[in-house]
């Protein structure tokens, strides 16, 4: 495994998300953790009660500057994002001694992106997206398995877990309207690198995002500041 020990460049790069994206690619290449794209996502209620959970960061798009994740819009995080459409995300690569923090407004991804990503998922996951009312209570695990079986029958698909059906099975399952992508637009990004003798290296980039048409933002240039670790 390659361990990257270089500190942040001096002067700091003009924009941070290309670096974050490169770090993500290096984390995949290093194979030091199975889900190199796992991201802790923090949301909060309108009255400021935070909650956090792991989601998979499916893309980092440096220009115009957002991260993408997929979920159930009716989940706890989905409800919080409807009430308070801002979030914070943290990607941490322990073995590579690096952390990325991102904060900013969240908008739903275009339907075409959600459709394309949903269609790329394994058929069992697509059935699961219909069967699971994510974040709602369940009387028992059996209740969920029954919902999965009923859903598979309704969609004309095999029952997940039944023997001999390949993950790669081609079966048409439409995307549930309550499942799709979000874009976390970055107005604040921090890159952190572990330094020798525990003198770590840290910098923050900020910019202003003004809402524009079609769920996008007009952005100012980034301002970069090195921070005490
Ligand atoms: C490694 C890992 C990856 C996960 N990826 C996702 C994901 O991409 N989308 C998602 O909705 N939940 C994902 N989860 C489950 C979430 O952590 C969480 O349990 C779920 O989204 C419900 O959260 P909520 O009730 O706060 O909305 C993942 C969990 C783990 C441990």
């Amino acid at each position: 495994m390659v361990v990257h020990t270089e500190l942040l460049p001096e002067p700091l790069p003009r924009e941070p998300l290309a670096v974050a994206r490169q770090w993500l690619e290096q984390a995949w290449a290093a194979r030091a953790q199975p889900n190199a794209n796992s991201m802790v996502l923090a949301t909060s209620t309108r009255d400021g009660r935070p909650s956090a959970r792991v989601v998979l960061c499916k893309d980092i798009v440096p220009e115009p500057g957002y991260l993408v994740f997929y979920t159930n819009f009716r989940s706890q995080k989905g409800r919080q994002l409807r009430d308070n459409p801002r979030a914070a995300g943290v990607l941490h690569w322990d073995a590579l001694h690096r952390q990325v923090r991102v904060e900013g407004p969240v908008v739903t991804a275009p339907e075409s992106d959600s459709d394309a990503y949903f269609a790329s998922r394994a058929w069992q996951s697509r059935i699961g997206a219909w069967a699971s009312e994510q974040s709602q209570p369940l009387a028992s695990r059996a209740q969920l398995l029954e919902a999965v079986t009923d859903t598979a029958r309704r969609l004309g698909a095999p029952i997940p877990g039944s023997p001999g059906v390949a993950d790669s099975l081609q079966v048409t399952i439409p995307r549930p309207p309550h499942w799709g992508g979000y874009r976390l637009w970055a107005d604040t990004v921090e890159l952190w690198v572990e330094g020798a003798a525990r003198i770590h290296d840290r910098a923050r980039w900020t910019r202003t995002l003004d809402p524009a048409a079609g769920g996008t933002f007009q952005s100012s240039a980034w301002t970069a500041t090195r921070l005490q670790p």
Side-chain angles (χ1 to χ4, degrees):
M1 188 187 74
V2 184
V3 174
H4 299 273
T5 49
E6 66 274 18
L7 300 177
L8 298 170
E10 185 87 67
L12 292 166
R14 260 225 273 270
E15 73 90 19
L17 286 175
V19 179
R21 192 186 161 93
Q22 188 188 25
W23 285 7
L24 175 58
E25 283 161 8
Q26 289 172 342
W28 278 123
R31 296 174 195 277
Q33 64 193 70
N35 292 304
N37 61 340
S38 60
M39 170 170 83
V40 175
L41 178 82
T43 55
S44 86
T45 59
R46 212 194 305 256
D47 60 349
R49 289 165 190 250
S51 63
R53 80 291 287 154
V54 173
V55 295
L56 297 179
C57 171
K58 298 307 290 191
D59 207 357
I60 298 178
V61 183
E63 181 55 48
Y66 56 79
L67 281 64
V68 181
F69 60 93
Y70 291 88
T71 192
N72 185 314
F73 298 140
R74 302 199 294 228
S75 63
Q76 181 194 41
K77 73 183 93 49
R79 291 193 306 271
Q80 291 187 353
L81 287 170
R82 187 194 53 213
D83 293 346
N84 176 15
R86 279 192 68 85
V90 180
L91 293 133
H92 173 216
W93 301 289
D94 209 5
L96 303 187
H97 315 290
R98 288 169 168 172
Q99 172 183 244
V100 174
R101 299 171 60 181
V102 178
E103 297 167 15
V106 177
V107 295
T108 50
E111 304 250 329
S112 53
D113 286 18
S114 295
D115 287 340
Y117 176 64
F118 189 75
S120 77
R121 301 177 83 216
W123 62 276
Q124 299 97 323
S125 304
R126 286 180 276 146
I127 292 172
W130 279 104
S132 168
E133 285 289 337
Q134 192 176 57
S135 315
Q136 292 304 313
L138 264 181
S140 62
R141 182 147 180 92
Q143 184 192 347
L144 176 63
L145 298 180
E146 209 172 295
V148 169
T149 301
D150 291 350
T151 305
R153 288 214 178 96
R154 186 166 57 77
L155 294 167
I159 294 164
S162 46
V165 192
D167 276 3
S168 58
L169 177 79
Q170 295 298 314
V171 40
T172 305
I173 299 171
R175 176 175 63 87
H178 56 269
W179 193 99
Y182 284 107
R183 290 177 174 178
L184 164 53
W185 280 71
D187 62 19
T188 305
V189 175
E190 182 189 310
L191 303 179
W192 182 100
V193 185
E194 186 176 321
R198 306 203 180 182
I199 317 272
H200 309 312
D201 199 13
R202 208 184 148 194
R204 184 200 290 145
W205 285 253
T206 55
R207 65 176 179 172
T208 307
L209 291 175
D210 291 316
T216 64
F217 294 86
Q218 281 290 337
S219 62
S220 67
W222 290 102
T223 304
T225 318
R226 233 181 187 93
L227 297 176
Q228 302 202 25

